[in-house]
Amino acid sequence: MMNATLQDIFIDEGGVQSEQYMSNWDLYDLWGNRMPEAMAQGIVEGNSTMAAGMNVTNYYYNATQMSYAEGLGMYDTRLMGTRVGAVQAMGTVNAMVEGHGVKAYRMRTTSGGGMRRRDEL
């Protein structure tokens, strides 16, 4: 189990405490919609038959169809990841991380609190 307080996460240059630790945040697992291994292997190997049978648009975001700003505004899970929880103001982010593993989260402020919506990675 890994954990970090919002106070640990939001320290600005020079060690100054940032005000973001006083906001509520939603947590999104950036790898929550990860491409299945079989699809990735088919693409890497150039196996067009395998890739053709799978809908890659479920995993790839096409920014020519919709801008990143629009996609984020619509909570497109290909950009946001899968919502896995929330952390309250001055709270702690907890994550199960396998040995030698990595977790990557997008944090987005919840509405309210007087702070404009903000994303952090």
Side-chain angles (χ1 to χ4, degrees):
M1 173 71 79
M2 302 287 294
N3 56 50
T5 67
L6 292 179
Q7 290 173 314
D8 293 335
I9 294 169
F10 294 108
I11 295 180
D12 289 336
E13 187 174 334
V16 176
Q17 195 67 58
S18 176
E19 292 184 17
Q20 283 89 350
Y21 79 96
M22 295 173 51
S23 297
N24 296 326
W25 297 84
D26 286 330
L27 300 175
Y28 296 86
D29 181 349
L30 289 175
W31 293 336
N33 290 335
R34 190 172 159 209
M35 180 182 292
E37 294 292 328
M39 180 183 288
Q41 190 65 39
I43 292 170
V44 168
E45 293 174 354
N47 185 338
S48 59
T49 304
M50 179 184 289
M54 300 179 182
N55 187 358
V56 295
T57 58
N58 289 335
Y59 305 99
Y60 285 132
Y61 186 81
N62 185 346
T64 60
Q65 291 180 338
M66 182 185 305
S67 74
Y68 289 114
E70 291 172 306
L72 287 171
M74 295 177 65
Y75 293 87
D76 189 307
T77 57
R78 292 169 296 180
L79 295 173
M80 293 296 297
T82 303
R83 187 177 183 281
V84 293
V87 61
Q88 299 301 311
M90 298 183 281
T92 301
V93 176
N94 298 302
M96 287 300 298
V97 182
E98 295 180 27
H100 303 286
V102 174
K103 288 278 185 180
Y105 291 111
R106 173 182 295 276
M107 297 173 59
R108 178 170 267 201
T109 53
T110 59
S111 58
M115 187 174 161
R116 72 176 175 83
R117 186 163 298 281
R118 179 182 172 122
D119 286 302
E120 298 287 341
L121 295 177

